[in-house]
Every structure is written in structure tokens, then in C-alpha cells.
């Protein structure tokens, strides 16, 4: 065992130019572990709180109180702890903040610390993080299948399109590198189409094209065309994946599609999405209904769960209890794993195991506010989660995670 000697937090800046929390965990032998908290824009109401200072400074986004929580109580509680006992370290953090959403310490403070402890333990072993994760959780490592955004919408693109993420997956590729090649071709073909139609508004938060479409279906049609221009047949090697992020434009069974000036109830949403599943090669769909529309999620899963992956993100917020409840209710068949929604590594692993225990899929995911931190590439690989969602195919905070997978592949 090697004990934790020092924990320090510093303010760094994320891909949206907002402050965030970076934590250094130094062990008694000088080994260092470091991690940075990401931040979401479309957040579930039950995820760990992203603690911000409020007030006028930095538009209320400063993280001084989260930094103080790491440098003060968290550092004091973890000093002397065995870095390789992740569960005990996370329990010591949780004991400081029994509030359900980590309002006191801040999920940004807890997640950066928890991940930094994991990095320190791996470096101390010494072994790469993915291998450390596999060996300490008893999982079989494998490189994940990327889920890559081509168009961004919803909260990530000025709500110009209601649906948040139009993505592709390339399950038919022979290796990770081929996924990158095919994705690159589709991404640039999609951009060319938008430019030629005068419908390119810019680039969304996660680097996907920010389109000016007249309907949500126009995005799907354009994506199909881009896949074809890239020399692929949609539905063969390349399939479509959507994050509806329905809580962003609906709730309590009422959905307002601003782009098309339409209002739908829960059944109407299910019908519309069911129509898309018929018409397009969609293999995965995330948050098809709002997080409070559990009857809708159950009905959607009853009707389509045998043919498409249905992921709970804002609905399940990487919470093992919520996953188990959804499994009993028959809502969804997969969960997104975002470590900062849970707030610690151990709670995220518990959620992953809860999903796996019932044969659910698990997709390790980044947030829309990201940094150079590559922990999730290692977690996805080490857990053998199968899938990784990182955003688009541009911008270094995204590409660094895909590139890290290429490095792991060569290890
Ligand atoms: C999501 C994520 C990533 P955010 O909804 O899945 O696309 O977005 O980090 O804003 O919650
Ligand atoms: Mg989502």
C-alpha cells in the first residue's frame, strides 16, 4: 500500500472557456495522480451538483468553493489513506457530504479527487489506467466502439434543432483506426452538404456541425446522405445513434418541438420516434422521453426495446438505484456512465455492474464541457464497457480521447 500524502486543487479552464477543478493527488513516494472535472449543459435533475460560486464574477461560474472543499476537508480526510483502496477513499469523501446530490462538497470537487486517486493508484502500480481498472474490477478490457457526433443541436447549439446529438457508430469497422477513417469521411461530407446548401451556422459545443435545418428529419436525411457520400451504405457498416435529450424540450408527457412548431404528448413522441426507427438505420437512442416521463420510457422500451439500444442518461444519471428501478419497471436497456453525474469512481462502477448484472448495455460518456483529461478512454477500455461517447470528430478535448484509444490499442 502507498498512502496519500497531499491533495491540492487548482482552477483550470474547460472547452467552453469556463473554470473547472483539477486535482493533484501525491502519494508518500512522490507518485502523482491528476484529473479534471468535466461539466454538462443538458443535465439530469438528480445528478451530482456542479458547484459554482454564483454572483457576478466570471458569470457566476467560478469554482473557488469547490477548490476550497478539496484543499480543506477532502484533503484532510484522505491524507494517509491507501490510494489503491478506491472504495475506502470514495467512502471517506462521501462521509463528508451525506447530501444526496453532493451539494455541500460539489460533484466537481468529488469527481476530480476520486479520479485523481484512481490515476495515482495506477501510476503507483505502475500500470496504465485501463489495465489498472480491469485488474481491480475483474473486467476484461477491450477497446470501445465510438459513438461520434456529426450534428449538434439542443442545449449545445442554441436550440436550433430540438434533438441534441445526431451521431454515427461504425460497428462494421475492422478496427478502431478504421472507425476513425470512416467517421472522418462522414463528418466532412456532412459539412460539405451544409455549406453547399447555405445551412451551416457554425460548430456546436462538442464540435459537431451546427446546422440550420427546417425540421429534425432533415438532419436525419442529411446524415444518411453524408454516409452515402462517404462511400458507405447506411445500415451496413455505419449506423445512426441519437441523443434526443427529451428533458430539454419536454416534461410531464408534453413535448414542444420548437423547430417544427409542434407539440406532442408522450404517445405522439413515441409514434414520431418509432417512425424514425422504421425509416432510418438507428441502432441506439438516448433519453427518448423526458426524465419524469417514466410511463413513456416503459412504453417506448416495450415497443422497441428488442430492436434498438435505449439509453438512460438524464433519466438514470449514473445512479445504481435508479438503474435497478428502471430494470424492474422495464424502462431502457442501457445506461450512460458519466463519472461526474455520480460524483465518484466507486459509485460509477456500482452503476456499471448493476447494468451488466441484468444484461444492459453501458456507454461511458464525456460531457459537453470537457478538457484534456483522458480518464474516460481508459475507463471504457478497462471495463470492457463496449461503447464510448465523446462528442464529435474535431476539437482537441474530443480528439484527445479518441487518440488515447489509439495509443491504448498499441500498448
Ligand atoms: C449528453 C451529454 C453529452 P451534457 O447529454 O449525453 O452529449 O451532454 O454533457 O451537456 O449533458
Ligand atoms: Mg444525453
Amino acid at each position: 500500500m502507498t498512502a496519500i500524502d497531499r491533495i491540492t486543487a487548482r482552477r483550470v479552464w474547460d472547452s467552453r472557456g469556463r473554470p473547472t477543478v483539477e486535482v493533484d493527488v501525491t502519494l508518500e513516494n512522490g507518485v502523482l495522480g491528476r484529473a479534471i472535472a468535466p461539466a454538462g449543459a443538458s443535465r439530469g435533475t438528480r445528478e451530482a451538483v456542479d458547484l459554482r460560486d454564483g454572483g457576478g464574477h466570471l458569470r457566476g461560474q467560478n469554482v473557488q468553493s469547490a477548490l476550497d472543499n478539496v484543499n480543506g476537508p477532502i484533503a484532510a480526510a484522505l491524507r494517509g489513506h491507501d490510494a489503491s483502496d478506491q472504495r475506502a477513499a470514495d467512502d471517506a469523501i462521501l462521509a463528508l457530504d451525506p447530501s444526496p446530490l453532493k451539494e455541500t462538497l460539489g460533484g466537481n470537487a468529488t469527481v476530480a479527487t476520486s479520479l485523481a486517486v484512481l490515476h495515482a493508484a495506477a501510476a503507483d502500480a505502475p500500470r496504465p489506467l485501463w489495465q489498472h481498472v480491469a485488474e481491480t474490477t475483474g473486467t476484461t478490457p477491450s477497446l470501445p466502439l465510438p459513438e461520434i457526433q456529426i450534428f449538434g443541436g439542443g442545449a449545445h447549439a442554441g436550440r436550433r434543432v430540438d434533438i441534441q446529438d445526431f451521431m454515427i457508430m461504425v460497428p462494421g469497422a475492422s478496427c478502431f483506426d478504421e472507425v476513425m477513417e470512416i467517421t472522418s469521411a462522414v463528418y466532412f461530407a456532412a459539412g460539405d452538404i451544409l455549406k453547399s446548401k447555405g445551412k451551416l451556422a457554425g460548430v456546436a459545443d462538442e464540435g459537431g456541425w451546427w446546422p440550420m435545418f427546417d425540421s429534425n428529419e432533415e438532419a436525419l436525411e442529411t446524415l444518411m446522405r453524408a454516409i452515402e457520400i462517404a462511400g458507405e451504405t447506411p445500415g451496413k457498416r455505419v449506423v445512426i445513434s441519437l441523443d434526443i435529450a427529451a428533458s430539454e424540450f419536454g416534461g410531464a408527457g408534453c413535448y414542444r418541438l420548437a423547430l417544427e412548431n409542434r407539440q406532442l404528448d408522450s404517445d405522439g413522441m413515441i409514434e414520431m420516434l418509432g417512425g424514425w426507427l422504421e425509416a432510418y438505420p438507428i441502432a441506439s437512442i438516448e433519453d427518448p422521453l423526458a426524465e419524469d416521463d417514466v410511463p413513456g420510457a416503459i412504453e417506448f422500451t416495450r415497443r422497441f426495446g428488442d430492436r434498438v439500444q435505449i439509453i438512460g442518461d438524464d433519466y438514470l444519471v449514473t445512479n445504481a438505484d435508479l438503474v435497478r428501478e428502471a430494470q424492474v419497471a422495464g424502462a431502457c436497456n442501457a445506461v450512460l456512465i458519466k463519472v461526474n453525474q455520480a460524483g465518484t469512481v466507486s459509485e460509477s462502477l456500482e452503476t456499471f455492474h448493476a447494468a451488466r448484472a441484468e444484461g444492459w448495455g453501458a456507454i461511458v460518456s464525456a460531457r459537453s464541457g470537457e478538457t484534456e483529461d483522458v480518464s474516460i478512454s481508459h475507463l471504457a477500455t478497462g471495463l470492457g464497457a463496449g461503447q464510448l461517447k465523446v462528442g464529435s470528430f474535431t476539437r482537441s478535448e474530443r480528439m484527445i480521447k479518441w487518440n488515447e484509444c489509439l495509443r491504448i490499442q498499441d500498448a
Side-chain angles (χ1 to χ4, degrees), residues 267-290:
D267 286 343
M269 268 300 274
I270 294 171
E271 279 308 312
M272 180 188 78
L273 297 176
W276 291 359
L277 295 181
E278 283 297 322
Y280 305 101
I282 297 168
S284 180
I285 190 159
E286 183 179 323
D287 285 336
L289 285 307

Side-chain angles (χ1 to χ4, degrees), residues 40-42 156 164-165 206 243 286 313 338 367-368 389:
S42 64
H156 301 161
Q164 182 178 285
D165 292 313
E206 298 187 6
D243 181 1
E286 183 179 323
D313 170 22
K338 290 169 164 169
R367 300 308 305 251
S368 48
K389 178 185 177 194

Side-chain angles (χ1 to χ4, degrees), residues 8 80 350:
T8 50
E350 191 190 334

Side-chain angles (χ1 to χ4, degrees), residues 284-330:
S284 180
I285 190 159
E286 183 179 323
D287 285 336
L289 285 307
E291 60 169 88
D292 64 356
D293 189 357
V294 179
I298 294 170
E299 177 60 9
F300 189 79
T301 307
R302 188 188 68 75
R303 287 183 56 183
F304 307 114
D306 56 349
R307 51 189 260 215
V308 68
Q309 173 171 267
I310 304 169
I311 307 171
D313 170 22
D314 297 341
Y315 169 40
L316 300 175
V317 293
T318 316
N319 180 300
D321 290 336
L322 293 178
V323 165
R324 285 187 278 260
E325 268 176 39
Q327 286 169 339
V328 170

Side-chain angles (χ1 to χ4, degrees), residues 147-162:
E147 208 185 343
I148 305 185
Q149 184 195 62
I150 305 296
F151 302 127
H156 301 161
R159 298 178 200 281
R160 187 62 190 71
V161 185
D162 302 300

